[in-house]
Amino acid sequence: MAALAATTPSLGQAASFGILGSTYANTVAGTTINGNLGFTTGPAIAPTVNGATHTADSVYNQAGTDQAVALNNLNSQPCTFTFAPGAVDLATDTTHGRLEFIFPACIAF
C-alpha cells in the first residue's frame, strides 16, 4: 500500500517508549509494557516494564519534545486521500486502507 503522506517523521527519543504521558494511572495487576515508560505522575499499581522508567527526567523531556515535533510534522502534511462524501465509519469502511495511514490533515471534525 502506498503511504499517504510525503514523509514519515522521526520520533527521535520517543520511539523507544511504550507509553509516554504526563499522567499514567490505568495499570492493573499483570500489566506489561514493552518499551520505555515515561510519566510525571505514576500509576497506583506499578507495571512490569521491559525497558526503562523515566519520571520527568531529561530523557522523558526530550522524548516529549521529539513527540511534539513529529506531530507538528504530520499536521503540516497535506492529505492525499479523498473520502467519500458524508460521514465515514473508519472502523468498517475499507476504502481508506489501514487506519494508521490516515494523517491528521485527512480528518475533519
Side-chain angles (χ1 to χ4, degrees):
M1 170 175 231
L4 299 179
T7 63
T8 301
S10 168
L11 293 175
Q13 188 70 45
S16 66
F17 282 79
I19 293 179
L20 177 63
S22 60
T23 300
Y24 174 59
N26 294 325
T27 300
V28 296
T31 298
T32 300
I33 297 168
N34 292 314
N36 292 340
L37 169 62
F39 54 79
T40 57
T41 303
I45 299 171
T48 299
V49 179
N50 294 326
T53 298
H54 298 278
T55 306
D57 63 8
S58 62
V59 174
Y60 167 85
N61 292 333
Q62 185 60 55
T65 298
D66 292 347
Q67 179 185 41
V69 169
L71 180 59
N72 288 335
N73 180 295
L74 289 173
N75 285 336
S76 71
Q77 295 184 33
C79 178
T80 59
F81 182 84
T82 303
F83 285 100
V88 176
D89 182 347
L90 295 176
T92 59
D93 180 71
T94 59
T95 63
H96 55 72
R98 292 178 26 205
L99 189 57
E100 61 266 26
F101 290 113
I102 306 298
F103 288 86
C106 296
I107 301 172
F109 295 96

